[in-house]
Amino acid sequence: MSEQSDYTPPKVWVWNKANGGRFANTNRPTAGATHEKELPVGRHPLQLYSLGTPNGVKVTVMLEELLAAGHTGAEYDAWLIKIGDGDQFGSGFVGINPNPRSPPCSTAAGRSRSGSSRAAPS
């Protein structure tokens, strides 16, 4: 590189929210919760928090197949997470999944398992 740049990075980076378009709320360059919001908890051993995204569908299909095969430990309650509204950045969601990606599964004992297609609840 022979050209020099006069650009100096800012000491504190500021996110310009207005430039994100339709999906700006689904991926943010921030860590941690942005607001307080507890997650609902049902009566089954597993709690699935998801929207009908591809990974959410994969986890749901896996749980339904386990139930069809007779694995009663796969009983679950499903809860809608509206990623367009930023629900995945609420304190409850971030509490069980610090990397706010959907879908996480939580067990009755409070342990968390990622809901990605590579991880299955145990």
Side-chain angles (χ1 to χ4, degrees):
M1 288 175 70
S2 60
E3 293 181 35
Q4 284 191 331
S5 173
D6 292 332
Y7 174 75
T8 303
K11 289 184 181 187
V12 177
W13 183 79
V14 178
W15 179 37
N16 182 359
K17 295 179 184 179
N19 71 354
R22 180 177 167 194
F23 298 103
N25 283 339
T26 61
N27 291 309
R28 295 180 184 175
T30 59
T34 61
H35 60 280
E36 289 292 322
K37 184 175 182 181
E38 291 300 315
L39 292 173
V41 177
R43 61 183 179 89
H44 293 104
L46 295 175
Q47 304 299 303
L48 173 63
Y49 303 97
S50 180
L51 182 66
T53 60
N55 282 342
V57 171
K58 290 175 193 174
V59 173
T60 304
V61 168
M62 177 196 67
L63 291 171
E64 289 297 325
E65 288 179 351
L66 287 170
L67 289 170
H71 297 280
T72 58
E75 291 178 331
Y76 67 100
D77 294 299
W79 304 98
L80 178 64
I81 295 296
K82 297 178 184 174
I83 60 176
D85 293 345
D87 286 355
Q88 73 275 29
F89 298 106
S91 58
F93 193 98
V94 172
I96 63 170
N97 189 10
N99 178 15
R101 300 285 184 242
S102 183
C105 275
S106 177
T107 64
R111 294 173 297 165
S112 173
R113 298 277 186 227
S114 168
S116 74
S117 58
R118 289 184 222 147
S122 58

